[in-house]
Amino acid sequence: MRKTKEETKLTIKKVLEIATLKFAEDGYANVSLEDIVQETGLTRGAIYHHFKNKKGLFASVFEEVQKEIAQTIEIEAMKSNDKWIQLINGCRAFLTAASETAHQRILLIDGPAVLGWDTFRKLDQQYAMSGLKEQLIIMNQDNSIDLKDISVEALTHSLSGAMNECALWITEKNDRHIAINEAVQVIENFMLGWKKK
Amino acid sequence: MRKTKEETKLTIKKVLEIATLKFAEDGYANVSLEDIVQETGLTRGAIYHHFKNKKGLFASVFEEVQKEIAQTIEIEAMKSNDKWIQLINGCRAFLTAASETAHQRILLIDGPAVLGWDTFRKLDQQYAMSGLKEQLIIMNQDNSIDLKDISVEALTHSLSGAMNECALWITEKNDRHIAINEAVQVIENFMLGWKKK
DNA sequence: AATTATACATACATAACGTATGTATAATTA
DNA sequence: TAATTATACATACGTTATGTATGTATAATT
């Protein structure tokens, strides 16, 4: 009955993939472990062996999605050397990724509710917001922007919140491309006040 | 066993009050109807008589909290005749109310997850965001601001999202007063680009 | 005065979570 | 390589929470 380490990795991956799909489609509360069990062809025992409980499984799923998006952003942002363009491109990449992926329900809706605000914040900080904050600090230091007496933390949270909400808004628009542009334009205008020309 | 209409009103009010407290403290998922039943001294039957189910009870609670905050904002905003000051005061009032009330978990965290994004958005639109959007449109028309080619919708969502996130951030800071000021400053700066001098 | 509607209570069916335990076999050690 | 141990699951069960069906007393209505 015991599987090889390679096989084990595969089963975990399989569970995560299916759980991600189900959670994204139906929402955490509407997915029972039994659903996941059936689609994976495993049993409850298997899942409880690899994950602490339903919430633990969700946490793993959440982190995976988070990582994936963070990577996408990093890649897109780094396509330019201009710090300002990096910022804007990063924002666009987030809006695109977070609104297109079927995973946004996991990331933005169920995430905070299931994990709790503090846990969510820690993870969001680790993967998503730290990058944004650092970028702002760097830009402030090398004079790409001048934040003056503005609180970087408040600014970071404001931008992050604005983009999270926009991602959800974009998803329900029929022409996502237009909506993304509109959102990026707003975000860029938000920052324009601090831009050093 | 049957109560008079007055008494009925009171029981409903009692259930709502206790449910609000419990949901705010422990979160929707961690509150069982049994908890509420015990604290109200009623039975499950009573609750299912007045509300469709647990989610329905939460929806009622959510709407109450929403209404309450909307009122506070309206009152604060209308203390000035200057449209710009109305906007900023409204934002400050929201940040204050949504971060100080113990109800923010209901409003910002559980709300979207339990009700679903679309329902949440509809209610949020009805009570919170419509006011903001209207204010922006009015200001744009009477030349308090000039939004140019910016999408009002995208702007509204951005501001709303920024403030929601800030409200949560403010709550976990030890000096809320300072944090509120920092957040208001950011929001005001966001809008400054469009302000007609 | 008779009827009806309603504000609950009680009892039960169902579903979902989580835990305890068992087992086969891969991995490790002797 | 034989013996031991650790682990990847499966099975079975206990518990809890939701929701539904039904009963009953009494306020409201006719």
Side-chain angles (χ1 to χ4, degrees):
Chain A
M1 187 105 297
R2 183 177 182 186
K3 299 283 174 62
T4 196
K5 289 204 170 177
E6 279 308 303
E7 290 173 308
T8 303
K9 255 186 167 177
L10 285 179
T11 46
I12 292 179
K13 198 178 155 210
K14 194 200 228 171
V15 171
L16 282 176
E17 275 170 3
I18 297 207
T20 304
L21 277 178
K22 299 297 279 180
F23 285 150
E25 254 178 64
D26 304 335
Y28 178 82
N30 302 315
V31 176
S32 71
L33 288 184
E34 210 54 43
D35 293 338
I36 294 172
V37 158
Q38 280 195 10
E39 294 216 28
T40 51
L42 297 168
T43 62
R44 311 176 52 66
I47 293 180
Y48 278 96
H49 176 66
H50 292 296
F51 304 92
K52 185 162 184 285
N53 49 26
K54 192 185 173 188
K55 198 186 283 190
L57 172 58
F58 179 85
S60 295
V61 165
F62 179 87
E63 246 183 301
E64 286 298 314
V65 175
Q66 188 103 309
K67 265 188 215 164
E68 196 185 309
I69 291 191
Q71 264 183 335
T72 307
I73 295 175
E74 179 76 6
I75 290 171
E76 282 304 311
M78 283 315 144
K79 283 186 177 169
S80 169
N81 283 326
D82 183 309
K83 294 262 166 39
W84 179 266
I85 295 178
Q86 282 175 8
L87 179 67
I88 304 304
N89 278 355
C91 290
R92 180 185 299 276
F94 173 82
L95 290 171
T96 305
S99 68
E100 105 188 323
T101 173
H103 310 348
Q104 54 150 303
R105 182 163 189 174
I106 294 169
L107 207 62
L108 303 175
I109 299 180
D110 284 336
V114 175
L115 301 175
W117 171 250
D118 35 355
T119 305
F120 170 77
R121 178 113 316 293
K122 248 180 249 161
L123 291 175
D124 198 46
Q125 203 100 19
Q126 188 177 329
Y127 291 110
M129 246 174 41
S130 71
L132 178 56
K133 189 175 174 184
E134 278 168 28
Q135 179 77 6
L136 291 172
I137 291 176
I138 290 174
M139 289 174 76
N140 192 44
Q141 283 169 349
D142 77 356
N143 279 322
S144 307
I145 55 176
D146 179 9
L147 294 181
K148 296 166 192 166
D149 54 349
I150 284 288
S151 150
V152 184
E153 237 190 310
L155 176 56
T156 309
H157 280 272
S158 296
L159 284 176
S160 170
M163 287 194 288
N164 284 350
E165 165 72 23
C166 279
L168 290 164
W169 167 69
I170 290 165
T171 304
E172 51 175 24
K173 305 289 281 189
N174 28 19
D175 193 330
R176 277 185 49 239
H177 190 67
I178 291 180
I180 290 173
N181 280 334
E182 289 180 353
V184 170
Q185 216 180 341
V186 169
I187 301 290
E188 188 164 8
N189 266 275
F190 275 174
M191 291 302 302
L192 227 47
W194 293 291
K195 188 181 185 187
K196 281 293 201 51
K197 70 127 294 139
Chain B
M1 187 104 296
R2 184 177 179 184
K3 300 283 175 62
T4 196
K5 289 205 170 177
E6 279 306 305
E7 290 172 306
T8 303
K9 254 187 166 177
L10 284 179
T11 47
I12 291 179
K13 198 178 155 209
K14 194 199 228 171
V15 171
L16 282 176
E17 274 170 5
I18 296 207
T20 305
L21 277 178
K22 298 297 279 180
F23 285 150
E25 255 180 63
D26 304 335
Y28 178 82
N30 302 315
V31 176
S32 71
L33 288 183
E34 210 54 43
D35 293 339
I36 295 172
V37 158
Q38 281 196 8
E39 295 215 28
T40 51
L42 296 167
T43 61
R44 312 176 50 66
I47 293 180
Y48 279 96
H49 177 65
H50 292 297
F51 304 92
K52 186 163 183 286
N53 49 26
K54 191 184 174 188
K55 198 186 283 190
L57 171 58
F58 179 84
S60 295
V61 165
F62 179 88
E63 246 183 300
E64 286 299 314
V65 175
Q66 188 103 308
K67 265 187 213 163
E68 197 185 308
I69 291 191
Q71 265 182 334
T72 308
I73 295 175
E74 180 76 7
I75 290 171
E76 282 304 312
M78 282 314 144
K79 283 185 179 170
S80 169
N81 283 326
D82 183 309
K83 295 263 165 41
W84 179 267
I85 295 178
Q86 283 175 8
L87 178 67
I88 304 304
N89 278 355
C91 289
R92 180 185 298 278
F94 173 82
L95 289 171
T96 306
S99 68
E100 104 189 323
T101 173
H103 310 346
Q104 55 149 305
R105 182 163 189 174
I106 294 169
L107 207 62
L108 303 175
I109 297 180
D110 284 337
V114 174
L115 301 175
W117 172 250
D118 35 355
T119 305
F120 169 78
R121 177 108 322 287
K122 249 182 246 159
L123 291 174
D124 198 46
Q125 202 101 19
Q126 189 176 331
Y127 292 110
M129 247 174 40
S130 71
L132 178 56
K133 188 175 173 183
E134 278 168 28
Q135 179 77 5
L136 291 173
I137 290 176
I138 290 174
M139 290 174 75
N140 192 44
Q141 282 169 350
D142 78 356
N143 278 324
S144 307
I145 55 176
D146 179 9
L147 294 181
K148 296 167 194 166
D149 54 348
I150 283 288
S151 149
V152 184
E153 237 191 309
L155 176 56
T156 310
H157 280 272
S158 296
L159 284 176
S160 169
M163 287 194 289
N164 284 351
E165 166 73 24
C166 278
L168 289 164
W169 167 69
I170 290 165
T171 304
E172 51 174 24
K173 305 288 283 188
N174 28 18
D175 193 330
R176 277 186 49 241
H177 190 67
I178 291 180
I180 289 174
N181 279 334
E182 289 179 354
V184 171
Q185 216 180 340
V186 169
I187 301 289
E188 189 165 5
N189 266 274
F190 275 175
M191 291 302 303
L192 227 47
W194 293 290
K195 188 181 186 187
K196 280 295 201 52
K197 67 125 288 150

